[in-house]
Amino acid sequence: MKKIILTGGGTAGHVTPNIALIPELKKAGYEIKYIGSKGGMETELVRNAGLDYVGISSGKLRRYFSWKNFSDPFRVLKGYFQAKKIIKKYKPDIVFSKGGFVTVPVVFAANKYNVPVIIHESDMTPGLANKLAIKRATKVCHNFPETAKYLGAKAVHTGSPIRAELFKGNKITALDMCGFTANKPVIMVTGGSLGAEHVNQLVRAALPELLKDFQVAHLCGKGKVDETFNGTEGYVQFEYISEEMKDFFAMADIIISRAGANSICEISALKKPNILIPLPAESSRGDQILNAKSYAKQGFSEVLYEKTATKDDLIAAVHKVYDNRTVYINAMAQSGGNRGVEKIIALIKELSN
């Protein structure tokens, strides 16, 4: 039986693509072990997926000053020796890394024992952790066509692995949960598990106009429900949706979202017309702006920018996207990045032979 180590952590975006691979890996006969950070948020997600989880020491690599910059290198070094010990004992045929700081010591340890490593880079440009790890990788999968120029001969354009259950949503279940009718289109607003305060404000400001033609399901983030809108006909708020997310995707005619790579890959794989409002550069390393621009260039999305967008801009964008929805759907349908699981599994099989 072939053995694989999956690694990734720090955010759900570094974990759920790994989990999307599990059914096909098991079908192909792989024994799976997962290495994440000790006590990291990924622990529960991975164990709920039924995997053998091992936590190692992990430190963050920062571009800015922090007193932790003096202690974290020792944590990374400790994680490296822990990963070496695991790999030496487990003897995997291959390692698949989704990113996050915990993956750096795992990739370096695999390289030490000549174990092939596949890295998946979600964003347009590699983050700091992946920049370090890519040098030790055998192949690097990526989502955006533009990313290939940063990766050289190691690049493989696969798109993102999408969980199979997201394609099996029940629209009626979500309509019932929201108390919506079936004869009026639905906008789903999502800012990720933490929500997005500016997006929330923009949507609520536009509500009187939007509700004339649409129903709005708003996933607004933990602690961000505005009770003054409770009971507004055609508008419902949730802090966060987990198990029912597939049903909400099935229900949505349009999605308004941030431009995190994992989220937008799910949106495009499901061929949902969308409006992206990326995090501004000051709040991130600018990757969401690059992601959104790429999707707009490929004809998948309309983009609004947080600093300049008004409620009137949002209302106009919603009508434009809905009126031309078949154009966006057709563009996403023709994309080469919608068979992520299939392409990555084929690469894993090839390199672990």
Side-chain angles (χ1 to χ4, degrees):
M1 178 182 279
K2 295 281 187 182
K3 295 179 179 180
I4 185 169
I5 286 176
L6 303 179
T7 184
T11 69
H14 289 145
V15 183
T16 50
N18 273 334
I19 291 172
L21 295 174
I22 293 169
E24 291 302 316
L25 283 172
K26 287 183 174 177
K27 200 183 290 183
Y30 282 83
E31 182 184 308
I32 309 166
K33 187 182 285 289
Y34 199 107
I35 300 179
S37 51
K38 198 165 187 176
M41 59 75 65
E42 60 269 22
T43 310
E44 191 177 346
L45 281 172
V46 173
R47 285 183 175 153
N48 286 346
L51 291 192
D52 176 18
Y53 182 91
V54 186
I56 63 170
S57 174
S58 174
K60 188 172 182 180
L61 308 164
R62 301 172 182 83
R63 291 184 173 89
Y64 55 88
F65 176 78
S66 166
W67 289 109
K68 288 184 178 179
N69 287 347
F70 297 100
S71 60
D72 277 10
F74 294 100
R75 289 184 182 154
V76 174
L77 192 61
K78 183 181 178 183
Y80 170 68
F81 286 112
Q82 289 171 330
K84 269 183 69 178
K85 190 175 178 181
I86 294 163
I87 288 169
K88 186 178 180 181
K89 183 179 178 183
Y90 187 62
K91 293 182 173 59
D93 296 283
I94 195 161
V95 169
F96 182 83
S97 169
K98 190 57 199 76
F101 295 109
V102 70
T103 66
V104 176
V106 179
V107 171
F108 275 60
N111 184 253
K112 176 73 176 174
Y113 288 111
N114 297 313
V115 177
V117 174
I118 299 172
I119 288 175
H120 188 281
E121 175 53 59
S122 294
D123 289 311
M124 176 86 74
T125 61
L128 184 53
N130 268 354
K131 271 185 181 175
L132 293 169
I134 280 167
K135 296 171 184 176
R136 303 292 194 280
T138 313
K139 292 290 181 182
V140 185
C141 304
H142 57 98
N143 287 342
F144 298 93
E146 299 94 329
T147 309
K149 65 187 175 191
Y150 301 105
L151 306 174
K154 295 179 179 181
V156 184
H157 184 210
T158 61
S160 190
I162 306 297
R163 292 167 290 159
E165 65 265 23
L166 286 183
F167 297 92
K168 300 172 184 174
N170 187 315
K171 178 178 180 176
I172 303 303
T173 299
L175 287 171
D176 288 346
M177 190 171 167
C178 295
F180 288 167
T181 65
N183 59 359
K184 199 174 185 181
V186 174
I187 301 168
M188 181 172 83
V189 183
T190 175
S193 57
L194 300 177
E197 192 56 45
H198 190 90
V199 175
N200 291 348
Q201 292 170 2
L202 197 61
V203 168
R204 287 169 181 146
L207 268 182
E209 281 300 313
L210 293 178
L211 291 177
K212 290 177 183 177
D213 299 298
F214 301 92
Q215 300 168 107
V216 180
H218 192 169
L219 313 183
C220 51
K222 192 169 176 61
K224 294 186 172 71
V225 168
D226 186 336
E227 294 183 1
T228 61
F229 287 92
N230 286 354
T232 302
E233 189 177 347
Y235 176 69
V236 63
Q237 304 172 82
F238 300 90
E239 286 193 340
Y240 182 61
I241 292 293
S242 180
E243 293 301 314
E244 302 91 351
M245 195 65 182
K246 63 183 185 300
D247 303 320
F248 275 62
F249 271 128
M251 170 180 70
D253 295 285
I254 296 178
I255 294 174
I256 298 170
S257 174
R258 283 299 198 194
N262 198 51
S263 298
I264 64 175
C265 284
E266 291 180 344
I267 290 168
S268 66
L270 293 162
K271 305 178 191 65
K272 293 291 176 178
N274 61 90
I275 298 160
L276 302 179
I277 308 175
L279 267 171
E282 297 78 20
S283 307
S284 67
R285 63 184 181 89
D287 51 300
Q288 288 205 9
I289 293 172
L290 294 174
N291 295 350
K293 283 181 175 177
S294 175
Y295 266 41
K297 184 180 175 183
Q298 294 177 75
F300 301 168
S301 314
E302 287 298 311
V303 180
L304 297 177
Y305 294 98
E306 183 169 301
K307 286 189 169 183
T308 56
T310 65
K311 68 180 178 71
D312 292 328
D313 293 331
L314 181 62
I315 292 162
V318 165
H319 285 286
K320 178 182 177 183
V321 169
Y322 185 71
D323 292 344
N324 298 283
R325 56 194 180 277
T326 55
V327 176
Y328 298 95
I329 291 167
N330 289 339
M332 288 182 275
Q334 289 165 23
S335 164
N338 290 339
R339 289 166 40 237
V341 170
E342 179 187 333
K343 291 178 179 179
I344 290 168
I345 293 293
L347 193 60
I348 288 169
K349 288 178 179 178
E350 179 189 331
L351 294 180
S352 58
N353 277 336

